Amino acid sequence: LNKVLEKHIETLKGFLTPDNIKTDNCFMPFLSNYLYPRLMVFPTNLFQLSQILQLSYKNSLAVIPIGGGTQFDVGNDPIRADIILNLTKLDQVIDYEPNDLTITVQAGITFNKLQQILYINNQFLPIDPPKPDQATLGGTLATNTSGVFTWQRNYPRDFVIGMKVVESNGLITKSGGKVVKNVTGYDMPKIHIGSLGTLGIIAEVSLKLLPIVQEKTIVIDFAKFKDSVDAGILIFNSHITPMSLIIIDKTLQSFLNPDSPNIFRLAIRLGGIKESFPRQIDELRRISLQYKAIDFNTPSIKTIWNPIRDMNFGTKPPIFMSTVINLLQSDIESFISILANWHTKLLDNMGYIADIQNGKIYCYWYGEYEQQKTVLTNSDIFETLHDLRTNAKMLGGFLTITKAPPQIRNKIDAFEHSKTSLDFMNRLKFKFDPSNILNPGRYRYIGGI
Amino acid sequence: LNTKTILNELRKIVGVDYVIHAPEDLLVYEYDGSIDRATPQFVVLPASSNDIIGIIKIAQKYMLPVIPRGAGTGLSGGAIASHGGIALVLTRMKSIIEIDPINQIAIVEPGVVNIDLTKAASKFGLYYAPDPSSQKACTIGGNIAENSGGPHCLAYGVTTNHVLAIEAVTADSSIQWFGNKSGIEPGYDLRGIIIGSEGTLAIVTKIVLRLLQEPESINTLVATFPKMSDASNAVSKIIGNGIIPAAIEMMDKLAIKAVEASLNAGYPPNAEAILLVEIDGLIEEVKNKSVSIQNICKATNATDILIATDEKERNKLWAGRKAALGALGHLAPNYYLLDGVVPRTKLPQVLDEVAKISKKWKLPIANVFHAGDGNLHPCILFDEKIPGETLKAQQAGGEILELCVSVGGALSGEHGVGIEKMKYMPLVFNEDDIGSMVRLKTVFDTNNLLNPGKIFPNTDTHSNLTLTQTGAIRRAGPASFI
């Protein structure tokens, strides 16, 4: 393999400048410690990206695409890693016509850079991934990252109107276009969004945008979870259509907002025109009284939402493991009451955020894993994750592991695939990446492993 | 091919009444709302997904194409049996299985008529957002196949944005769920790729849809303009000012004339162009946006603004828009309807060019379309009885599609490629792009059993298929389409 790599590097030097090839210290903290990629490359245009993949395909070298590297905790670890394909230098705006409310950009652009460009024209993209200073558009789409902030409950997939992808053999293909409504050919971007870079490399993306909205945050504090969730469901079923509607549990609340600990906090992020806020706030106040809220406030926006978005990366508290459980809104309460009746040590160190708007429960285990290990065995952790997953499944939902120590993540599948469509997924993977060189193993049961 | 054997096998599955084979009965299934026509060998109406599995097995055995079909209101030939085979008509599978008002979702069978879902959901103050103008006839299954739009997709997105999961029978006669009603599952979004695949990847048998809260307030207005370019400038200014109404529809002089001649919708008959704008949402939002939109219309030379004050007036204003295409039938014996889509800022330029194409070919072209999305529906009027005029209409249509693509647009906004636009696909996509899509097709359907001869340009021609769109539209009823 070394010989192949040496030759490979020589060929790459033919079209990449020295600062765009890195051959030492390519170990990435997110890779399992037995994987030492020899090479990191930074394509600066589509042609180079295509060339790199053509070569890798020819030499059967495993390619690990990365953007800001913020979402590597999502999914399983790759099982091979020869080349790190760093896309952060593909970060240009290709075409922006503000009056069309659409933009076409290269996938390596960070969210902060993208949103700043849009902000100048009073526009934004309603996707808010963690660490937007590092997170790239391509990475966010490949992982289908979507937090508690949504517009009309839409996911990242709903804002993509066109895409250029470089396939595993270097072929550049496009689909969709720059118009907001388009049924010309198959909706190919859909298979790449959420594919974890296992079908092709997202290189260019056209997006539909929204005009900037004014916003207002309201927090309502409750003594009991039941009251907070009932109030939340009532809001979900009202004319109030927030951009976020979540409950922060007692435990996390005590960390996030030490000034008002030990309460369940219902947080609502309204978006729209400011003239519509007073009446919505009145309505929320009525609901808060109906469900015996103990406090009602309108804090400033940044103080509450960013720490929640960046929870997996936070230090207060440090998080060593996290999961997302997808459920119907009406099942959130039953799931939490099941948890309340569990007596397992692992739940002592867990806090959660219930996303009423999108039907999710984000569970966070805090503390330092090394310290935890003295009281918790790994089998305790496996058992708890397994039980949580079984309960989610019984309610028709599913659990995804979004962060875990290496000792855990290598021994339990991060996802639960619906068994039935797995055959099709395998066939799709085989048709688009026949030599399994793109991020092999990230989807454990896809790719013929 | 032993027709009698196949007939008996099909009858065994769905019963004698639900297999159509007599040539005179097959005629009804030769058409959809497009210009093309072809006869299937069999028409089968299954009652369940099990029936469909059985039918697919027969199709596999005898290598017969399967052409899924809903109400047959499609506008691009997607439901035409251009290669013969079995037309699989899903209209018997029309039950609304569940409406879950708390979680705001519905589970339906593919044969449910679009508007029936909204009617059923309205009991709970909910509705289904995508509203193709054929919504009184078209089915949800057909909407999934075409990824249908409609006037209100401007603010709320097209079909794919409202589908959480689908159950489908695939060409290997297996049945499975794609997607999950609890959210986006890990793994590839196969639901997303089946939506809009025009029945070429799978037969959808159950659908989980998102429902929306009925808006608290709705405001509908019609602004009259002395010139088309003024109206399209108003559209650009509204969007450019950061206002996204629920719908912005435009009609030109010819379309207005047709509508007013067939029903009195109350549009100013001498207007060169009108905009029908609807704003919905919270009371304050609607009020605020309505004022801004009226100001923009005035600033772009609107001569008159008509505001609906109640539901009855609103319905009247919409009735004209929704019946526009049917009404155009009064102006000419035939018409060829296009579905090109362009960046919104290119509307004035493109409409100018369309007028030039109309002059060049000496064929009147009416425009009635979703201006807010940049989704044009130029309607070329012609008479097939005049020798050569059919060909002229097709050539003019081709020029319009080329024009849309040349300004950065696409061939179809909501009607699909079907048979009609296959040959124009190379305008937008190169061989590699199309190759990638075809590869995707083989993931699902190696033997090209499902709806063959659609979407992808190939050696097939449809020159022998006659232009009968008008006839098809009449059959589907007057208040339909676009």
Side-chain angles (χ1 to χ4, degrees), chain A residues 100 157-158 167 174 181 183 186 198 237 279 330 420 424 443, chain B residues 103 161 176 188 200 216 284 344-345 412 428 433 436 439:
Chain A
D100 281 331
R157 73 193 278 280
D158 298 305
E167 295 186 9
K174 73 165 189 295
K181 206 169 155 196
V183 291
Y186 288 158
T198 60
N237 284 306
R279 199 166 53 90
S330 59
T420 47
F424 283 93
Y443 275 125
Chain B
N103 297 302
N161 308 117
Q176 41 225 312
Y188 305 136
T200 61
E216 186 183 47
E284 299 82 358
R344 305 176 253 228
T345 47
S412 181
V428 189
D433 306 332
S436 185
R439 207 157 351 113

PDB file of all heavy atoms in Angstrom, chain A residues 100 157-158 167 174 181 183 186 198 237 279 330 420 424 443, chain B residues 103 161 176 188 200 216 284 344-345 412 428 433 436 439:
ATOM      1  N   ASP A 100     -33.736  37.034  -6.104  1.00  0.00           N
ATOM      2  CA  ASP A 100     -34.329  35.718  -6.371  1.00  0.00           C
ATOM      3  C   ASP A 100     -34.475  34.896  -5.101  1.00  0.00           C
ATOM      4  O   ASP A 100     -35.056  33.828  -5.109  1.00  0.00           O
ATOM      5  CB  ASP A 100     -33.455  34.928  -7.350  1.00  0.00           C
ATOM      6  CG  ASP A 100     -33.670  35.361  -8.783  1.00  0.00           C
ATOM      7  OD1 ASP A 100     -34.786  35.806  -9.086  1.00  0.00           O
ATOM      8  OD2 ASP A 100     -32.725  35.259  -9.584  1.00  0.00           O
ATOM      9  N   ARG A 157     -32.817  19.454   4.223  1.00  0.00           N
ATOM     10  CA  ARG A 157     -33.150  18.942   2.887  1.00  0.00           C
ATOM     11  C   ARG A 157     -34.163  19.821   2.170  1.00  0.00           C
ATOM     12  O   ARG A 157     -34.218  19.839   0.948  1.00  0.00           O
ATOM     13  CB  ARG A 157     -33.700  17.514   2.986  1.00  0.00           C
ATOM     14  CG  ARG A 157     -35.094  17.440   3.549  1.00  0.00           C
ATOM     15  CD  ARG A 157     -35.519  16.042   3.949  1.00  0.00           C
ATOM     16  NE  ARG A 157     -36.010  15.173   2.903  1.00  0.00           N
ATOM     17  CZ  ARG A 157     -37.233  15.195   2.388  1.00  0.00           C
ATOM     18  NH1 ARG A 157     -38.124  16.082   2.808  1.00  0.00           N
ATOM     19  NH2 ARG A 157     -37.587  14.345   1.474  1.00  0.00           N
ATOM     20  N   ASP A 158     -34.995  20.527   2.944  1.00  0.00           N
ATOM     21  CA  ASP A 158     -36.071  21.300   2.342  1.00  0.00           C
ATOM     22  C   ASP A 158     -35.606  22.626   1.735  1.00  0.00           C
ATOM     23  O   ASP A 158     -36.374  23.303   1.071  1.00  0.00           O
ATOM     24  CB  ASP A 158     -37.175  21.547   3.378  1.00  0.00           C
ATOM     25  CG  ASP A 158     -37.793  20.237   3.850  1.00  0.00           C
ATOM     26  OD1 ASP A 158     -38.249  19.471   2.983  1.00  0.00           O
ATOM     27  OD2 ASP A 158     -37.798  19.973   5.065  1.00  0.00           O
ATOM     28  N   GLU A 167     -18.763  12.123  -7.791  1.00  0.00           N
ATOM     29  CA  GLU A 167     -18.992  10.734  -7.426  1.00  0.00           C
ATOM     30  C   GLU A 167     -17.670  10.019  -7.153  1.00  0.00           C
ATOM     31  O   GLU A 167     -16.599  10.564  -7.418  1.00  0.00           O
ATOM     32  CB  GLU A 167     -19.820  10.046  -8.515  1.00  0.00           C
ATOM     33  CG  GLU A 167     -21.209  10.663  -8.610  1.00  0.00           C
ATOM     34  CD  GLU A 167     -22.152   9.948  -9.559  1.00  0.00           C
ATOM     35  OE1 GLU A 167     -21.806   8.850 -10.048  1.00  0.00           O
ATOM     36  OE2 GLU A 167     -23.246  10.484  -9.808  1.00  0.00           O
ATOM     37  N   LYS A 174     -24.640  16.874 -11.836  1.00  0.00           N
ATOM     38  CA  LYS A 174     -25.492  17.886 -11.208  1.00  0.00           C
ATOM     39  C   LYS A 174     -26.952  17.461 -11.270  1.00  0.00           C
ATOM     40  O   LYS A 174     -27.351  16.659 -12.119  1.00  0.00           O
ATOM     41  CB  LYS A 174     -25.269  19.254 -11.846  1.00  0.00           C
ATOM     42  CG  LYS A 174     -25.838  19.444 -13.227  1.00  0.00           C
ATOM     43  CD  LYS A 174     -25.864  20.939 -13.554  1.00  0.00           C
ATOM     44  CE  LYS A 174     -26.631  21.246 -14.828  1.00  0.00           C
ATOM     45  NZ  LYS A 174     -26.056  20.710 -16.058  1.00  0.00           N
ATOM     46  N   LYS A 181     -38.540  25.883  -7.611  1.00  0.00           N
ATOM     47  CA  LYS A 181     -39.505  24.813  -7.834  1.00  0.00           C
ATOM     48  C   LYS A 181     -39.022  24.079  -9.070  1.00  0.00           C
ATOM     49  O   LYS A 181     -38.796  24.704 -10.097  1.00  0.00           O
ATOM     50  CB  LYS A 181     -40.843  25.491  -8.130  1.00  0.00           C
ATOM     51  CG  LYS A 181     -42.052  24.714  -7.815  1.00  0.00           C
ATOM     52  CD  LYS A 181     -43.212  25.687  -7.919  1.00  0.00           C
ATOM     53  CE  LYS A 181     -44.486  25.006  -8.217  1.00  0.00           C
ATOM     54  NZ  LYS A 181     -45.482  25.983  -8.677  1.00  0.00           N
ATOM     55  N   VAL A 183     -38.999  20.049 -11.055  1.00  0.00           N
ATOM     56  CA  VAL A 183     -39.168  18.588 -11.098  1.00  0.00           C
ATOM     57  C   VAL A 183     -38.544  18.024 -12.372  1.00  0.00           C
ATOM     58  O   VAL A 183     -39.020  17.055 -12.931  1.00  0.00           O
ATOM     59  CB  VAL A 183     -40.651  18.167 -10.981  1.00  0.00           C
ATOM     60  CG1 VAL A 183     -41.191  18.466  -9.599  1.00  0.00           C
ATOM     61  CG2 VAL A 183     -41.511  18.846 -12.032  1.00  0.00           C
ATOM     62  N   TYR A 186     -34.824  13.278 -11.601  1.00  0.00           N
ATOM     63  CA  TYR A 186     -34.924  12.804 -10.212  1.00  0.00           C
ATOM     64  C   TYR A 186     -34.377  13.851  -9.247  1.00  0.00           C
ATOM     65  O   TYR A 186     -33.486  14.617  -9.566  1.00  0.00           O
ATOM     66  CB  TYR A 186     -34.119  11.512 -10.034  1.00  0.00           C
ATOM     67  CG  TYR A 186     -34.701  10.281 -10.673  1.00  0.00           C
ATOM     68  CD1 TYR A 186     -33.898   9.186 -10.971  1.00  0.00           C
ATOM     69  CD2 TYR A 186     -36.056  10.184 -10.972  1.00  0.00           C
ATOM     70  CE1 TYR A 186     -34.419   8.033 -11.546  1.00  0.00           C
ATOM     71  CE2 TYR A 186     -36.584   9.040 -11.542  1.00  0.00           C
ATOM     72  CZ  TYR A 186     -35.760   7.970 -11.830  1.00  0.00           C
ATOM     73  OH  TYR A 186     -36.269   6.839 -12.396  1.00  0.00           O
ATOM     74  N   THR A 198     -21.080   9.048   1.935  1.00  0.00           N
ATOM     75  CA  THR A 198     -20.781   7.682   1.500  1.00  0.00           C
ATOM     76  C   THR A 198     -21.216   7.394   0.067  1.00  0.00           C
ATOM     77  O   THR A 198     -20.986   6.310  -0.444  1.00  0.00           O
ATOM     78  CB  THR A 198     -21.457   6.644   2.427  1.00  0.00           C
ATOM     79  OG1 THR A 198     -22.872   6.853   2.388  1.00  0.00           O
ATOM     80  CG2 THR A 198     -20.970   6.761   3.859  1.00  0.00           C
ATOM     81  N   ASN A 237     -50.132  23.038  18.969  1.00  0.00           N
ATOM     82  CA  ASN A 237     -51.397  22.917  18.241  1.00  0.00           C
ATOM     83  C   ASN A 237     -52.173  24.240  18.128  1.00  0.00           C
ATOM     84  O   ASN A 237     -53.353  24.242  17.817  1.00  0.00           O
ATOM     85  CB  ASN A 237     -52.271  21.845  18.900  1.00  0.00           C
ATOM     86  CG  ASN A 237     -51.784  20.450  18.563  1.00  0.00           C
ATOM     87  OD1 ASN A 237     -51.622  20.109  17.395  1.00  0.00           O
ATOM     88  ND2 ASN A 237     -51.499  19.638  19.563  1.00  0.00           N
ATOM     89  N   ARG A 279     -49.484  39.994  20.999  1.00  0.00           N
ATOM     90  CA  ARG A 279     -50.662  39.135  21.138  1.00  0.00           C
ATOM     91  C   ARG A 279     -50.239  37.677  21.401  1.00  0.00           C
ATOM     92  O   ARG A 279     -50.868  36.963  22.176  1.00  0.00           O
ATOM     93  CB  ARG A 279     -51.521  39.235  19.871  1.00  0.00           C
ATOM     94  CG  ARG A 279     -52.944  38.775  20.042  1.00  0.00           C
ATOM     95  CD  ARG A 279     -53.805  39.221  18.871  1.00  0.00           C
ATOM     96  NE  ARG A 279     -53.250  38.821  17.588  1.00  0.00           N
ATOM     97  CZ  ARG A 279     -53.525  37.664  16.981  1.00  0.00           C
ATOM     98  NH1 ARG A 279     -54.365  36.804  17.533  1.00  0.00           N
ATOM     99  NH2 ARG A 279     -52.984  37.355  15.827  1.00  0.00           N
ATOM    100  N   SER A 330     -46.776  13.550  20.687  1.00  0.00           N
ATOM    101  CA  SER A 330     -47.665  13.065  21.741  1.00  0.00           C
ATOM    102  C   SER A 330     -47.016  11.963  22.579  1.00  0.00           C
ATOM    103  O   SER A 330     -47.545  11.613  23.631  1.00  0.00           O
ATOM    104  CB  SER A 330     -48.972  12.560  21.130  1.00  0.00           C
ATOM    105  OG  SER A 330     -48.687  11.519  20.221  1.00  0.00           O
ATOM    106  N   THR A 420     -36.034  -3.087   6.595  1.00  0.00           N
ATOM    107  CA  THR A 420     -36.645  -3.378   5.312  1.00  0.00           C
ATOM    108  C   THR A 420     -35.969  -2.670   4.146  1.00  0.00           C
ATOM    109  O   THR A 420     -35.774  -3.243   3.097  1.00  0.00           O
ATOM    110  CB  THR A 420     -38.130  -3.006   5.327  1.00  0.00           C
ATOM    111  OG1 THR A 420     -38.245  -1.714   5.886  1.00  0.00           O
ATOM    112  CG2 THR A 420     -38.931  -3.995   6.116  1.00  0.00           C
ATOM    113  N   PHE A 424     -32.111  -1.911  -0.265  1.00  0.00           N
ATOM    114  CA  PHE A 424     -32.048  -0.855  -1.272  1.00  0.00           C
ATOM    115  C   PHE A 424     -30.877   0.078  -0.996  1.00  0.00           C
ATOM    116  O   PHE A 424     -30.219   0.550  -1.908  1.00  0.00           O
ATOM    117  CB  PHE A 424     -33.356  -0.070  -1.317  1.00  0.00           C
ATOM    118  CG  PHE A 424     -34.440  -0.813  -2.023  1.00  0.00           C
ATOM    119  CD1 PHE A 424     -35.319  -1.606  -1.321  1.00  0.00           C
ATOM    120  CD2 PHE A 424     -34.555  -0.746  -3.398  1.00  0.00           C
ATOM    121  CE1 PHE A 424     -36.298  -2.323  -1.964  1.00  0.00           C
ATOM    122  CE2 PHE A 424     -35.534  -1.459  -4.060  1.00  0.00           C
ATOM    123  CZ  PHE A 424     -36.412  -2.254  -3.337  1.00  0.00           C
ATOM    124  N   TYR A 443     -21.756   4.192   7.812  1.00  0.00           N
ATOM    125  CA  TYR A 443     -23.015   3.482   8.008  1.00  0.00           C
ATOM    126  C   TYR A 443     -22.654   2.020   8.124  1.00  0.00           C
ATOM    127  O   TYR A 443     -22.302   1.372   7.151  1.00  0.00           O
ATOM    128  CB  TYR A 443     -23.961   3.692   6.824  1.00  0.00           C
ATOM    129  CG  TYR A 443     -24.779   4.938   6.923  1.00  0.00           C
ATOM    130  CD1 TYR A 443     -24.780   5.886   5.911  1.00  0.00           C
ATOM    131  CD2 TYR A 443     -25.567   5.174   8.049  1.00  0.00           C
ATOM    132  CE1 TYR A 443     -25.543   7.035   6.006  1.00  0.00           C
ATOM    133  CE2 TYR A 443     -26.332   6.333   8.153  1.00  0.00           C
ATOM    134  CZ  TYR A 443     -26.310   7.248   7.131  1.00  0.00           C
ATOM    135  OH  TYR A 443     -27.065   8.386   7.229  1.00  0.00           O
TER     136      TYR A 443
ATOM    137  N   ASN B 103     -50.448  15.303  16.514  1.00  0.00           N
ATOM    138  CA  ASN B 103     -49.128  15.300  15.863  1.00  0.00           C
ATOM    139  C   ASN B 103     -49.174  15.907  14.472  1.00  0.00           C
ATOM    140  O   ASN B 103     -48.159  15.951  13.772  1.00  0.00           O
ATOM    141  CB  ASN B 103     -48.581  13.873  15.819  1.00  0.00           C
ATOM    142  CG  ASN B 103     -48.369  13.327  17.219  1.00  0.00           C
ATOM    143  OD1 ASN B 103     -47.632  13.907  17.999  1.00  0.00           O
ATOM    144  ND2 ASN B 103     -49.054  12.243  17.550  1.00  0.00           N
ATOM    145  N   ASN B 161     -41.865  18.396   0.576  1.00  0.00           N
ATOM    146  CA  ASN B 161     -41.663  19.025   1.871  1.00  0.00           C
ATOM    147  C   ASN B 161     -42.729  18.608   2.899  1.00  0.00           C
ATOM    148  O   ASN B 161     -42.647  18.992   4.057  1.00  0.00           O
ATOM    149  CB  ASN B 161     -41.652  20.557   1.735  1.00  0.00           C
ATOM    150  CG  ASN B 161     -40.675  21.029   0.677  1.00  0.00           C
ATOM    151  OD1 ASN B 161     -41.048  21.626  -0.316  1.00  0.00           O
ATOM    152  ND2 ASN B 161     -39.407  20.729   0.870  1.00  0.00           N
ATOM    153  N   GLN B 176     -42.291  -2.248   1.347  1.00  0.00           N
ATOM    154  CA  GLN B 176     -41.596  -1.707   2.499  1.00  0.00           C
ATOM    155  C   GLN B 176     -41.899  -0.233   2.740  1.00  0.00           C
ATOM    156  O   GLN B 176     -42.409   0.460   1.883  1.00  0.00           O
ATOM    157  CB  GLN B 176     -40.092  -1.863   2.380  1.00  0.00           C
ATOM    158  CG  GLN B 176     -39.529  -1.587   1.007  1.00  0.00           C
ATOM    159  CD  GLN B 176     -38.547  -2.669   0.663  1.00  0.00           C
ATOM    160  OE1 GLN B 176     -37.692  -2.998   1.472  1.00  0.00           O
ATOM    161  NE2 GLN B 176     -38.662  -3.247  -0.513  1.00  0.00           N
ATOM    162  N   TYR B 188     -30.032   6.415   3.854  1.00  0.00           N
ATOM    163  CA  TYR B 188     -30.308   7.229   2.679  1.00  0.00           C
ATOM    164  C   TYR B 188     -31.794   7.573   2.597  1.00  0.00           C
ATOM    165  O   TYR B 188     -32.644   6.772   2.947  1.00  0.00           O
ATOM    166  CB  TYR B 188     -29.864   6.487   1.417  1.00  0.00           C
ATOM    167  CG  TYR B 188     -28.418   6.057   1.450  1.00  0.00           C
ATOM    168  CD1 TYR B 188     -28.038   4.795   1.039  1.00  0.00           C
ATOM    169  CD2 TYR B 188     -27.440   6.926   1.922  1.00  0.00           C
ATOM    170  CE1 TYR B 188     -26.709   4.399   1.078  1.00  0.00           C
ATOM    171  CE2 TYR B 188     -26.112   6.533   1.969  1.00  0.00           C
ATOM    172  CZ  TYR B 188     -25.751   5.276   1.551  1.00  0.00           C
ATOM    173  OH  TYR B 188     -24.433   4.888   1.602  1.00  0.00           O
ATOM    174  N   THR B 200     -41.534   5.749 -11.684  1.00  0.00           N
ATOM    175  CA  THR B 200     -40.526   4.889 -12.313  1.00  0.00           C
ATOM    176  C   THR B 200     -39.731   4.065 -11.300  1.00  0.00           C
ATOM    177  O   THR B 200     -38.939   3.217 -11.686  1.00  0.00           O
ATOM    178  CB  THR B 200     -39.519   5.716 -13.142  1.00  0.00           C
ATOM    179  OG1 THR B 200     -38.851   6.624 -12.260  1.00  0.00           O
ATOM    180  CG2 THR B 200     -40.203   6.502 -14.251  1.00  0.00           C
ATOM    181  N   GLU B 216     -54.739  31.741  10.676  1.00  0.00           N
ATOM    182  CA  GLU B 216     -55.660  32.524  11.488  1.00  0.00           C
ATOM    183  C   GLU B 216     -56.377  33.556  10.626  1.00  0.00           C
ATOM    184  O   GLU B 216     -57.537  33.875  10.834  1.00  0.00           O
ATOM    185  CB  GLU B 216     -54.839  33.220  12.576  1.00  0.00           C
ATOM    186  CG  GLU B 216     -55.640  33.955  13.601  1.00  0.00           C
ATOM    187  CD  GLU B 216     -54.730  34.663  14.595  1.00  0.00           C
ATOM    188  OE1 GLU B 216     -53.757  35.332  14.163  1.00  0.00           O
ATOM    189  OE2 GLU B 216     -54.986  34.552  15.791  1.00  0.00           O
ATOM    190  N   GLU B 284     -51.714  40.087  12.464  1.00  0.00           N
ATOM    191  CA  GLU B 284     -50.806  41.232  12.315  1.00  0.00           C
ATOM    192  C   GLU B 284     -49.918  41.089  11.076  1.00  0.00           C
ATOM    193  O   GLU B 284     -49.656  42.053  10.364  1.00  0.00           O
ATOM    194  CB  GLU B 284     -49.924  41.391  13.552  1.00  0.00           C
ATOM    195  CG  GLU B 284     -50.666  41.659  14.858  1.00  0.00           C
ATOM    196  CD  GLU B 284     -51.202  40.399  15.521  1.00  0.00           C
ATOM    197  OE1 GLU B 284     -51.042  39.301  14.954  1.00  0.00           O
ATOM    198  OE2 GLU B 284     -51.809  40.520  16.614  1.00  0.00           O
ATOM    199  N   ARG B 344     -36.863  34.271 -10.509  1.00  0.00           N
ATOM    200  CA  ARG B 344     -37.953  35.250 -10.490  1.00  0.00           C
ATOM    201  C   ARG B 344     -37.569  36.591 -11.102  1.00  0.00           C
ATOM    202  O   ARG B 344     -38.397  37.255 -11.718  1.00  0.00           O
ATOM    203  CB  ARG B 344     -38.424  35.470  -9.048  1.00  0.00           C
ATOM    204  CG  ARG B 344     -38.814  34.173  -8.404  1.00  0.00           C
ATOM    205  CD  ARG B 344     -39.191  34.392  -6.966  1.00  0.00           C
ATOM    206  NE  ARG B 344     -38.177  33.887  -6.071  1.00  0.00           N
ATOM    207  CZ  ARG B 344     -38.448  33.101  -5.018  1.00  0.00           C
ATOM    208  NH1 ARG B 344     -39.683  32.767  -4.736  1.00  0.00           N
ATOM    209  NH2 ARG B 344     -37.498  32.682  -4.238  1.00  0.00           N
ATOM    210  N   THR B 345     -36.286  36.964 -10.945  1.00  0.00           N
ATOM    211  CA  THR B 345     -35.867  38.256 -11.485  1.00  0.00           C
ATOM    212  C   THR B 345     -35.834  38.254 -13.015  1.00  0.00           C
ATOM    213  O   THR B 345     -35.735  39.300 -13.636  1.00  0.00           O
ATOM    214  CB  THR B 345     -34.458  38.631 -10.988  1.00  0.00           C
ATOM    215  OG1 THR B 345     -33.614  37.493 -11.137  1.00  0.00           O
ATOM    216  CG2 THR B 345     -34.480  39.054  -9.534  1.00  0.00           C
ATOM    217  N   SER B 412     -39.276  21.980 -16.067  1.00  0.00           N
ATOM    218  CA  SER B 412     -40.560  21.737 -15.424  1.00  0.00           C
ATOM    219  C   SER B 412     -40.527  22.131 -13.964  1.00  0.00           C
ATOM    220  O   SER B 412     -39.619  21.750 -13.230  1.00  0.00           O
ATOM    221  CB  SER B 412     -40.939  20.259 -15.555  1.00  0.00           C
ATOM    222  OG  SER B 412     -42.192  20.032 -14.943  1.00  0.00           O
ATOM    223  N   VAL B 428     -30.679  20.684 -20.170  1.00  0.00           N
ATOM    224  CA  VAL B 428     -30.362  20.981 -18.770  1.00  0.00           C
ATOM    225  C   VAL B 428     -29.240  20.093 -18.242  1.00  0.00           C
ATOM    226  O   VAL B 428     -28.386  20.543 -17.488  1.00  0.00           O
ATOM    227  CB  VAL B 428     -31.614  20.771 -17.882  1.00  0.00           C
ATOM    228  CG1 VAL B 428     -31.360  21.292 -16.472  1.00  0.00           C
ATOM    229  CG2 VAL B 428     -32.825  21.456 -18.472  1.00  0.00           C
ATOM    230  N   ASP B 433     -24.879  13.551 -15.913  1.00  0.00           N
ATOM    231  CA  ASP B 433     -25.983  13.851 -14.996  1.00  0.00           C
ATOM    232  C   ASP B 433     -27.108  12.839 -15.185  1.00  0.00           C
ATOM    233  O   ASP B 433     -27.637  12.275 -14.221  1.00  0.00           O
ATOM    234  CB  ASP B 433     -26.560  15.253 -15.252  1.00  0.00           C
ATOM    235  CG  ASP B 433     -25.498  16.344 -15.209  1.00  0.00           C
ATOM    236  OD1 ASP B 433     -24.499  16.159 -14.496  1.00  0.00           O
ATOM    237  OD2 ASP B 433     -25.690  17.381 -15.887  1.00  0.00           O
ATOM    238  N   SER B 436     -26.239   9.347 -14.043  1.00  0.00           N
ATOM    239  CA  SER B 436     -26.350   9.164 -12.606  1.00  0.00           C
ATOM    240  C   SER B 436     -27.801   8.845 -12.209  1.00  0.00           C
ATOM    241  O   SER B 436     -28.059   7.979 -11.368  1.00  0.00           O
ATOM    242  CB  SER B 436     -25.865  10.442 -11.930  1.00  0.00           C
ATOM    243  OG  SER B 436     -25.829  10.298 -10.555  1.00  0.00           O
ATOM    244  N   ARG B 439     -28.662   5.363 -13.280  1.00  0.00           N
ATOM    245  CA  ARG B 439     -28.062   4.401 -12.341  1.00  0.00           C
ATOM    246  C   ARG B 439     -28.955   4.246 -11.107  1.00  0.00           C
ATOM    247  O   ARG B 439     -29.152   3.155 -10.596  1.00  0.00           O
ATOM    248  CB  ARG B 439     -26.673   4.904 -11.925  1.00  0.00           C
ATOM    249  CG  ARG B 439     -25.756   3.787 -11.535  1.00  0.00           C
ATOM    250  CD  ARG B 439     -24.254   4.116 -11.643  1.00  0.00           C
ATOM    251  NE  ARG B 439     -23.932   5.361 -12.284  1.00  0.00           N
ATOM    252  CZ  ARG B 439     -23.387   6.404 -11.640  1.00  0.00           C
ATOM    253  NH1 ARG B 439     -23.124   6.334 -10.358  1.00  0.00           N
ATOM    254  NH2 ARG B 439     -23.101   7.506 -12.298  1.00  0.00           N
TER     255      ARG B 439
END
